[in-house]
Amino acid sequence: QVQFVESGGGLVQPGGSLRLSCAVSGGILNAYAMAWYRQAPGKQRELVAGITGLRSTNYADSVKGRFTISRDNAKNTVYLQMNNLKPEDTAVYYCNRQGRATWGQGTQVTVSS
């Protein structure tokens, strides 16, 4: 069974940085498109950043220039480098294959002074 385990979240001050990791296990294709999503309190889950098997990327307008998604297929890991964090980035962050219906626990990111 394919599983995704997010880690790297925490409490940071505005302007700080975090690097989220998504460890992927199970039988998935290297060419699968992967993505990071987030869900803030009282809001629906939204796409933050996506990456294709050919490493083409896309980002939500709110994070462009600040976040970078990458993947290391040899390590079965997807990353999200988050720089210049803002309070509005506070949310639970999830990784998943794009289009997959099941979700893991996610990792909490809180940006506050």
Side-chain angles (χ1 to χ4, degrees):
Q1 184 179 40
V2 177
Q3 296 191 12
F4 305 84
V5 181
E6 302 93 340
S7 63
L11 174 63
V12 297
Q13 294 184 325
S17 298
L18 285 173
R19 179 177 165 91
L20 306 184
S21 297
C22 175
V24 182
S25 63
I28 64 171
L29 295 175
N30 292 340
Y32 279 175
M34 298 292 296
W36 285 94
Y37 305 80
R38 68 186 181 188
Q39 186 168 25
K43 298 182 179 180
Q44 291 190 267
R45 183 159 36 223
E46 64 176 346
L47 178 68
V48 176
I51 184 167
T52 70
L54 296 178
R55 292 174 170 79
S56 176
T57 59
N58 62 282
Y59 299 91
D61 288 340
S62 59
V63 307
K64 285 182 179 178
R66 300 187 297 119
F67 291 8
T68 303
I69 187 172
S70 62
R71 65 193 299 162
D72 187 334
N73 292 332
K75 296 182 179 179
N76 294 316
T77 303
V78 183
Y79 304 96
L80 185 67
Q81 179 66 46
M82 309 166 67
N83 298 325
N84 300 315
L85 284 161
K86 303 176 180 180
E88 50 263 43
D89 295 319
T90 296
V92 178
Y93 284 71
Y94 305 86
C95 74
N96 210 343
R97 184 178 70 83
Q98 293 193 33
R100 192 168 182 266
T102 57
W103 299 86
Q105 184 170 266
T107 185
Q108 175 71 50
V109 173
T110 302
V111 185
S112 177
S113 59

